[in-house]
Amino acid sequence: SSREPASYAKPRSHIPAGGRAAATMGVPHFWLGGGQKCGTTTMYELLAQHPQLVAPRPKEPGFFAWPAPARRLAESWYVTDVVRVGETCAPHQRQANDEVDPRSTYVVPRRMTFDATAYYLQWGGRVARNLKAASPAAKAVLVLREPIARAMSWLQHMALKFPAVPNCLHWLPMV
């Protein structure tokens, strides 16, 4: 018998017998990340408007950067309240691109959820391993920006947010 590739495997239940969230949650379906001042918030807001996506609340929970004991205690919160897995199966307005089972009139919603914690990119291998362990088939969507423009945007952001803290932009006219 042939086995399906892991990316096509059916997701495991997020609340198995015993009530504790599974080690392999199957969510998020993808992760949105990037550098500071690269446009991740704009991308999040655009994705949140898509009818086939369930946006996380809050945008940046930081769940996969937490130590393992804290993640184990908060798995149900993350699955239920942040990435809102229950809404991925919730009924919705039928869309033109919904899959319909030819043997019935059941509509397969194909809704996905994601995690938009941009700073995971800064944490390196530990967070990548945590994400892979939770959702092996998840993809990464990265928003990057030309480095000099990004750095200037960040300096301007910091100068406006913390005017009492010196930085090199205090000597340049703000445009």
Side-chain angles (χ1 to χ4, degrees), residues 67-85:
R71 282 195 324 276
R72 279 192 294 277
L73 289 172
E75 281 176 351
S76 291
W77 165 79
Y78 181 78
V79 169
T80 306
D81 298 330
V82 177
V83 293
R84 304 181 345 247
V85 167

Side-chain angles (χ1 to χ4, degrees), residues 68-156:
R71 282 195 324 276
R72 279 192 294 277
L73 289 172
E75 281 176 351
S76 291
W77 165 79
Y78 181 78
V79 169
T80 306
D81 298 330
V82 177
V83 293
R84 304 181 345 247
V85 167
E87 294 181 39
T88 64
C89 301
H92 72 292
Q93 296 275 336
R94 184 171 174 178
Q95 305 293 319
N97 59 347
D98 281 340
E99 286 184 17
V100 178
D101 184 335
R103 297 163 289 171
S104 72
T105 58
Y106 177 73
V107 176
V108 180
R110 299 195 75 181
R111 294 182 81 195
M112 295 191 306
T113 188
F114 62 101
D115 186 316
T117 304
Y119 67 83
Y120 286 158
L121 194 59
Q122 301 168 18
W123 283 75
R126 181 174 61 87
V127 168
R129 286 186 295 277
N130 294 343
L131 282 161
K132 184 173 181 166
S135 188
K139 305 296 182 210
V141 176
L142 300 177
V143 182
L144 303 173
R145 184 174 180 184
E146 186 273 317
I148 301 299
R150 191 214 63 81
M152 292 302 293
S153 179
W154 181 80
L155 284 170
Q156 184 175 13

Side-chain angles (χ1 to χ4, degrees), residues 6-23:
S7 62
Y8 297 113
K10 293 183 172 118
R12 293 171 70 178
S13 171
H14 68 284
I15 307 288
R20 193 171 96 61

Side-chain angles (χ1 to χ4, degrees), residues 56-72:
R57 289 187 300 226
K59 173 190 167 237
E60 298 190 46
F63 179 77
F64 293 100
W66 297 357
R71 282 195 324 276
R72 279 192 294 277

